[in-house]
Amino acid sequence: VQLQASGGGLVEPGGSLRLSCESSDSDFHKYTMGWFRQAPGKEREFLTQITWSGRFKQYADSVKGRFTVSRDNDAKSVYLQMESLKPEDTAVYFCGRALNPYTYGGDSAGGYNSWGQGTLVTVSS
């Protein structure tokens, strides 16, 4: 399974970005997907997960109310709409697939695999 994240870039504080993650997996519609980020020298941080149908979403406190996760199973893609960006949001952003179908991935990176290369988001004036 390959995951290709895109949409990162340089944005000013208070700005917005929309990240996309496209999967090569024909069973994409069976899996919870998660978004994580990793800043230099830090561990990979959970941001959000969205279940296979899109019915359940969970957010980390650090992004709740600012980030919105969505998915399009026909396009085999998951999205992360980011608003009110802060300098501390600067990181490489990754999407991951839950280890098993029809299960939650959880809020730990160990619950996901097939990360892909990530996309860099830089929030700076």
Side-chain angles (χ1 to χ4, degrees):
V1 173
Q2 291 185 328
L3 297 176
Q4 180 73 42
S6 62
L10 174 64
V11 62
E12 292 186 347
S16 302
L17 276 177
R18 185 180 189 240
L19 306 184
S20 299
C21 172
E22 184 174 1
S23 173
S24 65
D25 185 11
S26 59
D27 288 334
F28 176 81
H29 61 284
K30 298 179 181 179
Y31 285 86
T32 292
M33 299 296 294
W35 281 101
F36 287 70
R37 67 187 178 192
Q38 190 163 17
K42 294 188 176 181
E43 293 187 353
R44 195 161 293 192
E45 175 192 7
F46 170 79
L47 300 177
T48 181
Q49 65 171 322
I50 181 169
T51 51
W52 51 96
S53 66
R55 192 166 299 175
F56 173 76
K57 304 172 185 179
Q58 179 190 5
Y59 295 93
D61 288 343
S62 59
V63 303
K64 197 174 295 182
R66 299 191 299 124
F67 290 10
T68 303
V69 64
S70 61
R71 66 188 294 159
D72 180 342
N73 285 341
D74 290 335
K76 295 187 291 184
S77 294
V78 60
Y79 307 99
L80 186 66
Q81 179 68 41
M82 306 187 294
E83 308 284 350
S84 303
L85 284 163
K86 307 174 183 179
E88 52 263 44
D89 293 319
T90 295
V92 178
Y93 284 66
F94 299 88
C95 57
R97 191 190 77 169
L99 297 180
N100 298 296
Y102 303 121
T103 61
Y104 295 145
D107 59 6
S108 170
Y112 300 82
N113 57 16
S114 306
W115 292 102
Q117 88 290 351
T119 186
L120 176 62
V121 172
T122 303
V123 184
S124 176
S125 54

